[in-house]
C-alpha cells in the first residue's frame, strides 16, 4: 500500500516538474566534506554541460536544470540526498565521486527504480554485478590498475609494491593490481593497506625501501597522496617508477602541494586535455573558465559528460518517465569530449562504458601524457 | 639480519623517536594542566589544530615561513588558554571536575567547527622547499622537519623545566599544584597561576601544531586524533608527571612505528591503545608515576 502511494506521489511530482517547463535532472556530489575538492571539479563540469545543452536548444525546446544535492562526503547524508531526489521526481540521477558513497546511493536508487548514471566512482562492484538501473560512463577501477601495470610490463619490471587505502575505490584498484600482476608475471613484494586518517607512512615505506621493488603503486585520496610522496622521498624509497592509481595523484593540487616530491610520479587518469576526441580543447577552455582559471581534473570532464549523456537519454526517451529513460540509456551510443559512450555488458560488468585509461607523468612540475600511443606520449623518466 | 634490514630498523626507530617527541610535547601540555588544576582538557588536540591553521593562514596570506609562525601561534595559544581558564573554567563552580570536563569538550567542538567555517573541510597542506629535505647518517635517512620538531620539543621541555625549578613563577606553580589553599595563604595568586598554566598548556599544543605543519596536512578535526594520543602519553607516563609525559611520548612514538613496521600498518593506532590498557591494568599510576599529584 505504502509503495503504491509513494509511486503515485512520485508520478504526481514528475508531472508537476514537467509542467514547469524546465526538465530537472538529479545530481549528487560532495559540495562539503573531505571530497569537496572533487565536488568543486564536478560542479564546474555540471555547469559547462548544462550550459551547452541549453545553448543547443535543450531537450525538445525545453531547457534542463540540475537539482544538485550535497552528500557532505558522508554515506548517510548521501542516502538522504538520494531520497530527496527520488521524492523530487527526477527522471534520472547523476551520481558522483567516492565509491563508498556511490555504492550505497546506487543500490538505493536501483531499489527505487530510478536510473542512475555514475560518472566518476570506479569501484568495480558498482557495475559488477550491477543492476538494470545503474549505468557507468567512466572506467572501472580495474582499468586504473591495468594502465599502470601495462607500463610496468612494457618496461620489464619484475617486482612491485602496493600501498592502498581500505576504501572501496582504493581496495578495488589494489585488488585488481594483484590479479593483473599475476597475469603479467610481476611479483608483488609488499601489499600494505591503511585505514583513512593514517598520516605517518614512514614505517611502511621503510619496509618497502628494504625490498627495493621496481615499481610502487599507491592508491589514495587527495591528502594522503601528498603525504605519501613527501614521506617516500624522505625515507629514500627508490623504485624505478612511483605510480599513483589516479584519485589524489591525478589532481592539480597533488603537484602543487607536493612540490618537487611529485616529480616523475606517473598516474593513471581518466581524461586529459591532450586526448584526441572531438571538442576536447573547447571543453578544457570552458572548464578552466568555470573553475575561475584553475586547471580542471578528469572529474570535471566526467561531470560534463554525465550531463550530456543524461540529456541525450531523456531526448531519446521522449519524456521523463524513469522506465523510458532507463531503456534509452541502454541505446545511447555517442561521442563526447570525454570519450565515446556506449553502455555494454562484458567481463561480468553490466551497463558499463568500455573506455581506455590514460597515464601521465609529472615532468618539470606539470602533467604530460605518457600512455597510450594515441595521446602522443612523451618519453617516461625513471627514478633510477 | 642483513644490512638493509638493520638500516630499516634504525630508520624506523629514529622516526618513531622523533614522532614520539611531538607526542611528548602535546602530552606535556595536557599533563601540566592536569597536574596543577586536576582539569582534563578534552580540547587539547583542537588547540593543536589552531596552531596548524594559524601557520597555514600566515603562509597562505603573507607567505610567512611555518617556523616563524611560532612567534604568533605560541602567544595566541597562551592568551587563549589564559582567557579560557580565567573567564570560563574558574566560573563553573566545579564539583568533581565535571563542569570543566564538559566545558573543554564543548570548547573543542566550538574550535573545530569554527575552523571548518573559516577554512573548509578539505585537508590542506603547505609546500615548503625543506618539507622533503633529509640528511643521511650511516645510511639512516632523517627528515629535517621531523628533526626540527624533535629538537623543538626538547627546547620547549627544557625551558619548562628551567621555569618550574629555577624561577619564582615556577615555585608558585609548584606550590599551587601541591596545595592551592596553602599557596593562596602564602600570598600566591593561585587564580592567576592557574590561568598561566592553562595558557602554557595550550601554547605547547599550538607549538606542536606549528611544528607538524611542514610535515602534515591540516583539517578542522585533525585534533581528535591528537587528543587521544595526548591521553595515552599522559597515562603511560603517569597523570600530572612531566618527565613521565616525555618518556610516555617517546615510548608511544616508538611502539607505533615499530609495530607498523614489523607487524602491520593497519593497527598503528591500536598499538598505543593496547599499551594504554596494559598500563592501566598493571600500573594504574603510570610507568613512572610514584604519586598522582606531582608536577
Amino acid at each position: 500500500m505504502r509503495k503504491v502511494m509513494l509511486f503515485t506521489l512520485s508520478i504526481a511530482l514528475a508531472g508537476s516538474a514537467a509542467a514547469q517547463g524546465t526538465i530537472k535532472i538529479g545530481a549528487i556530489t560532495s559540495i562539503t566534506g573531505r571530497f569537496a575538492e572533487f565536488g568543486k571539479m564536478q560542479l564546474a563540469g555540471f555547469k559547462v554541460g548544462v550550459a551547452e545543452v541549453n545553448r543547443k536548444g535543450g531537450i525538445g525546446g525545453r531547457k534542463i536544470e540540475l537539482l544538485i544535492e550535497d552528500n557532505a562526503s558522508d554515506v548517510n547524508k548521501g542516502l538522504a540526498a538520494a531520497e530527496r531526489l527520488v521524492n523530487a521526481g527526477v527522471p534520472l540521477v547523476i551520481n558522483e565521486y567516492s565509491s563508498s558513497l556511490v555504492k550505497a546511493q546506487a543500490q538505493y536508487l536501483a531499489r527505487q527504480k530510478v536510473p542512475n548514471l555514475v560518472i566518476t566512482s570506479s569501484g568495480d562492484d558498482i557495475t559488477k554485478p550491477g543492476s538494470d538501473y545503474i549505468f557507468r560512463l567512466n572506467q572501472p577501477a580495474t582499468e586504473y590498475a591495468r594502465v599502470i601495470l601495462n607500463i610496468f610490463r612494457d618496461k620489464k619490471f619484475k617486482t612491485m609494491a602496493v600501498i592502498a587505502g581500505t576504501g572501496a575505490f582504493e581496495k578495488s584498484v589494489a585488488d585488481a593490481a594483484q590479479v593483473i600482476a599475476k597475469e603479467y608475471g610481476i611479483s608483488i613484494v609488499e601489499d600494505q593497506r591503511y585505514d583513512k586518517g593514517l598520516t605517518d607512512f614512514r614505517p611502511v615505506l621503510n619496509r618497502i625501501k628494504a625490498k627495493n621493488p621496481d615499481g610502487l603503486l599507491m592508491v589514495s585520496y587527495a591528502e594522503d597522496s601528498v603525504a605519501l610522496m613527501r614521506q617516500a622521498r624522505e625515507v629514500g624509497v627508490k623504485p624505478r617508477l612511483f605510480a599513483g592509481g589516479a584519485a589524489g595523484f591525478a589532481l592539480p593540487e597533488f603537484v602543487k602541494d607536493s612540490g618537487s616530491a611529485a616529480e616523475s610520479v606517473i598516474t593513471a587518469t581518466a581524461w586529459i586535455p591532450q586526448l584526441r576526441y572531438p571538442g576536447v580543447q573547447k571543453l578544457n577552455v570552458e572548464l578552466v573558465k568555470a573553475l575561475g582559471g584553475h586547471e580542471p581534473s578528469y572529474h570535471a570532464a566526467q561531470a560534463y559528460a554525465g550531463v550530456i549523456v543524461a540529456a541525450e537519454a531523456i531526448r531519446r526517451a521522449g519524456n521523463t518517465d524513469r522506465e523510458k529513460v532507463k531503456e534509452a540509456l541502454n541505446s545511447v551510443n555517442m561521442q563526447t569530449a570525454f570519450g565515446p559512450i556506449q553502455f555494454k555488458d562484458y567481463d561480468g560488468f553490466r551497463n558499463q562504458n568500455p573506455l581506455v585509461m590514460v597515464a601521465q607523468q609529472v615532468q618539470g612540475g606539470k602533467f604530460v601524457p605518457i600512455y597510450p600511443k594515441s595521446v602522443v606520449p612523451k618519453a617516461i623518466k625513471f627514478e633510477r | 639480519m642483513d644490512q638493509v634490514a638493520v638500516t630499516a630498523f634504525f630508520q624506523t626507530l629514529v622516526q618513531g623517536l622523533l614522532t614520539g617527541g611531538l607526542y611528548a610535547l602535546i602530552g606535556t601540555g595536557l599533563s601540566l594542566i592536569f597536574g596543577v588544576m586536576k582539569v582534563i582538557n578534552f580540547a587539547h588536540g583542537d588547540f593543536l589544530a589552531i596552531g596548524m591553521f594559524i601557520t597555514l593562514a600566515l603562509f597562505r596570506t603573507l607567505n610567512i615561513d611555518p617556523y616563524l609562525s611560532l612567534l604568533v601561534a605560541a602567544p595566541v595559544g597562551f592568551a587563549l588558554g589564559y582567557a579560557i581558564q580565567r573567564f570560563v573554567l574558574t566560573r563553573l563552580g566545579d564539583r568533581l571536575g565535571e563542569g570543566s570536563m564538559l566545558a573543554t569538550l564543548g570548547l573543542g567542538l566550538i574550535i573545530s567547527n569554527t575552523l571548518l567555517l573559516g577554512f573548509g573541510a578539505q585537508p590542506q597542506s603547505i609546500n615548503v622547499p625543506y618539507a622533503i629535505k633529509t640528511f643521511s647518517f650511516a645510511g639512516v635517512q632523517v627528515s629535517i622537519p621531523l628533526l626540527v620538531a624533535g629538537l623543538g620539543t626538547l627546547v620547549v621541555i627544557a625551558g619548562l623545566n628551567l621555569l618550574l625549578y629555577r624561577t619564582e613563577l615556577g615555585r608558585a606553580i609548584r606550590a599551587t599544584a601541591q596545595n592551592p589553599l596553602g599557596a593562596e595563604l602564602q600570598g600566591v595568586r593561585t587564580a592567576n597561576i592557574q590561568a598561566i598554566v592553562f595558557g602554557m598548556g595550550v601554547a605547547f599544543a599550538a607549538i606542536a601544531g606549528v611544528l607538524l605543519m611542514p610535515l602534515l596536512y591540516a583539517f578542522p578535526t585533525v585534533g581528535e586524533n591528537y587528543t587521544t594520543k595526548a591521553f595515552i602519553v599522559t597515562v603511560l607516563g603517569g597523570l600530572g608527571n612531566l618527565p613521565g609525559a616525555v618518556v610516555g611520548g617517546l615510548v608511544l612514538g616508538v611502539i607505533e612505528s615499530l609495530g607498523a613496521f614489523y607487524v602491520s600498518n593497519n593497527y598503528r593506532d591500536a598499538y598505543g591503545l593496547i599499551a594504554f590498557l596494559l598500563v592501566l591494568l598493571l600500573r594504574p599510576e603510570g610507568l613512572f608515576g610514584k604519586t598522582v599529584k606531582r608536577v
Side-chain angles (χ1 to χ4, degrees):
Chain A
M1 189 59 208
R2 214 185 117 108
K3 230 180 195 167
V4 175
M5 270 173 63
L6 265 178
F7 187 60
T8 17
L9 185 71
S10 66
I11 285 181
L13 278 167
S16 70
Q20 284 165 11
T22 62
I23 295 176
K24 293 195 170 77
I25 300 171
I28 308 175
T29 190
S30 302
I31 298 169
T32 57
R34 57 191 291 260
F35 303 129
E37 201 57 45
F38 303 97
K40 203 171 73 193
M41 287 291 172
Q42 294 192 323
L43 290 177
F46 288 151
K47 199 170 136 192
V48 172
V50 169
E52 181 176 317
V53 170
N54 288 339
R55 200 170 53 233
K56 289 182 177 167
I59 302 171
R62 286 166 65 192
K63 294 211 181 301
I64 62 163
E65 186 188 334
L66 287 192
L67 285 183
I68 299 171
E69 289 285 350
D70 180 16
N71 64 19
S73 310
D74 177 274
V75 178
N76 291 322
K77 285 175 188 152
L79 284 172
E83 196 179 354
R84 282 195 295 275
L85 288 175
V86 170
N87 293 337
V90 295
L92 163 141
V93 173
I94 299 174
N95 211 343
E96 35 85 48
Y97 180 65
S98 158
S99 297
S100 317
L101 274 57
V102 170
K103 182 92 196 291
Q105 291 160 19
Q107 280 173 346
Y108 167 75
L109 290 168
R111 269 206 308 281
Q112 301 296 323
K113 298 193 186 303
V114 178
N116 186 204
L117 180 59
V118 177
I119 53 171
T120 301
S121 151
S122 49
D124 280 354
D125 56 0
I126 287 172
T127 46
K128 195 179 191 173
S131 137
D132 284 347
Y133 290 87
I134 302 172
F135 296 80
R136 175 156 60 189
L137 67 79
N138 63 299
Q139 301 89 333
T142 305
E143 297 303 320
Y144 287 69
R146 192 177 296 279
V147 66
I148 297 294
L149 271 90
N150 282 346
I151 295 172
F152 285 2
R153 184 179 60 175
D154 287 358
K155 301 298 169 192
K156 311 249 172 333
F157 284 15
K158 294 272 178 296
T159 53
M160 64 178 285
V162 178
I163 301 179
T166 46
F169 167 73
E170 302 102 298
K171 191 176 173 303
S172 266
V173 177
D175 290 352
Q178 286 273 8
V179 176
I180 299 166
K182 205 168 206 176
E183 197 181 302
Y184 288 3
I186 301 171
S187 77
I188 295 188
V189 291
E190 195 71 64
D191 186 350
Q192 288 279 340
R193 310 293 170 95
Y194 68 89
D195 284 327
K196 81 174 188 212
L198 174 89
T199 44
D200 181 4
F201 299 100
R202 293 180 188 89
V204 185
L205 290 165
N206 285 338
R207 245 172 114 122
I208 290 170
K209 184 187 178 188
K211 299 260 171 75
N212 201 24
D214 290 333
L216 171 56
L217 173 64
M218 301 165 286
V219 198
S220 63
Y221 284 124
E223 59 273 30
D224 296 334
S225 56
V226 176
L228 262 168
M229 270 324 294
R230 279 190 182 174
Q231 292 174 18
R233 300 295 184 194
E234 179 196 315
V235 306
V237 188
K238 237 175 156 37
R240 287 175 63 197
L241 272 181
F242 284 103
F249 290 93
L251 285 180
E253 277 73 20
F254 167 66
V255 183
K256 201 183 85 203
D257 289 343
S258 319
S260 59
E263 195 59 24
S264 79
V265 175
I266 68 168
T267 179
T269 183
W271 180 89
I272 51 173
Q274 291 88 345
L275 275 166
R276 293 178 162 180
Y277 299 128
V280 170
Q281 286 309 322
K282 185 164 160 281
L283 172 62
N284 193 47
V285 170
E286 285 175 4
L287 288 175
V288 169
K289 206 158 60 182
L291 286 163
H294 289 283
E295 289 296 308
S297 66
Y298 64 83
H299 313 88
Q302 288 170 332
Y304 157 83
V307 176
I308 301 295
V309 171
E312 172 71 11
I314 296 169
R315 191 177 295 128
R316 278 170 182 257
N319 60 36
T320 54
D321 178 69
R322 287 168 179 171
E323 289 301 316
K324 293 244 174 64
V325 170
K326 183 198 83 180
E327 293 307 320
L329 275 166
N330 277 312
S331 67
V332 163
N333 183 1
M334 63 191 298
Q335 192 58 242
T336 70
F338 174 68
I341 312 286
Q342 185 175 17
F343 301 104
K344 289 182 178 160
D345 298 350
Y346 67 97
D347 286 354
F349 288 110
R350 193 173 191 183
N351 297 334
Q352 171 66 51
N353 183 31
L355 194 61
V356 290
M357 291 289 285
V358 183
Q360 55 186 359
Q361 185 172 36
V362 182
Q363 293 186 7
K366 280 208 174 68
F367 282 124
V368 301
I370 52 162
Y371 194 93
K373 288 212 168 62
S374 60
V375 295
V376 196
K378 298 271 189 299
I380 302 176
K381 284 187 186 159
F382 294 93
E383 297 283 326
R384 61 176 161 88
Chain B
M1 279 201 286
D2 60 355
Q3 187 56 42
V4 176
V6 172
T7 312
F9 166 77
F10 277 109
Q11 184 153 325
T12 310
L13 186 71
V14 169
Q15 285 156 357
L17 280 171
L18 293 176
T19 315
L22 272 173
Y23 293 161
L25 181 57
I26 306 164
T28 303
L30 190 75
S31 207
L32 183 69
I33 291 172
F34 182 84
V36 174
M37 276 157 287
K38 310 293 169 288
V39 166
I40 297 177
N41 178 18
F42 281 100
H44 208 67
D46 297 297
F47 292 126
L48 176 138
I50 290 181
M52 288 184 97
F53 277 99
I54 286 177
T55 316
L56 182 81
L58 288 177
F59 183 82
R60 287 270 158 86
T61 54
L62 304 169
N63 206 14
I64 288 177
D65 185 90
Y67 294 126
L68 282 179
S69 323
L70 278 175
L71 299 175
V72 179
V76 167
F78 181 84
L80 192 66
Y82 190 95
I84 286 171
Q85 169 66 24
R86 204 66 206 255
F87 302 113
V88 181
L89 297 184
T90 48
R91 307 210 164 185
L92 293 171
D94 219 346
R95 287 174 310 153
L96 303 170
E98 289 153 348
S100 57
M101 212 183 274
L102 293 174
T104 53
L105 264 175
L107 276 170
L109 287 176
I110 292 172
I111 292 169
S112 56
N113 282 292
T114 308
L115 291 175
L116 184 68
L117 210 63
F119 293 91
Q122 75 281 11
Q124 300 176 67
S125 45
I126 56 177
N127 176 23
V128 283
Y130 50 77
I132 54 166
K133 281 274 179 334
T134 58
F135 72 89
S136 189
F137 181 77
V140 173
Q141 297 260 50
V142 183
S143 147
I144 303 277
L146 200 56
L147 186 70
V148 170
L151 292 178
T153 303
L154 265 183
V155 169
V156 171
I157 288 171
L160 174 66
N161 252 303
L162 283 180
L163 178 89
L164 284 179
Y165 294 98
R166 293 282 146 73
T167 65
E168 200 53 37
L169 176 63
R171 258 156 65 116
I173 291 175
R174 284 184 290 140
T176 310
Q178 276 165 15
N179 188 339
L181 186 61
E184 186 80 50
L185 290 173
Q186 297 304 311
V188 176
R189 289 170 53 220
T190 53
N192 190 40
I193 295 294
Q194 288 177 339
I196 288 175
V197 166
F198 206 94
M200 277 161 51
V202 172
F204 287 0
I207 290 171
V210 174
L211 294 176
L212 268 171
M213 201 56 217
L215 290 159
L216 269 192
Y217 45 84
F219 54 100
T221 49
V222 67
E224 283 169 16
N225 203 2
Y226 287 99
T227 304
T228 321
K229 300 257 190 261
F231 279 127
I232 297 174
V233 166
T234 320
V235 168
L236 285 180
L239 274 173
N241 181 333
L242 291 186
V246 175
V247 181
L250 296 179
V251 166
L252 179 65
V254 170
I255 288 179
E256 279 188 358
S257 282
L258 290 182
F261 181 73
Y262 283 109
V263 189
S264 161
N265 193 47
N266 264 352
Y267 307 115
R268 193 189 161 77
D269 288 332
Y271 305 126
L273 287 170
I274 291 168
F276 175 85
L277 285 178
L278 283 179
V279 166
L280 274 186
L281 278 173
L282 304 174
R283 271 188 72 88
E285 69 276 25
L287 289 176
F288 309 93
K290 288 199 191 74
T291 71
V292 182
K293 294 186 178 174
R294 252 181 59 191
V295 160

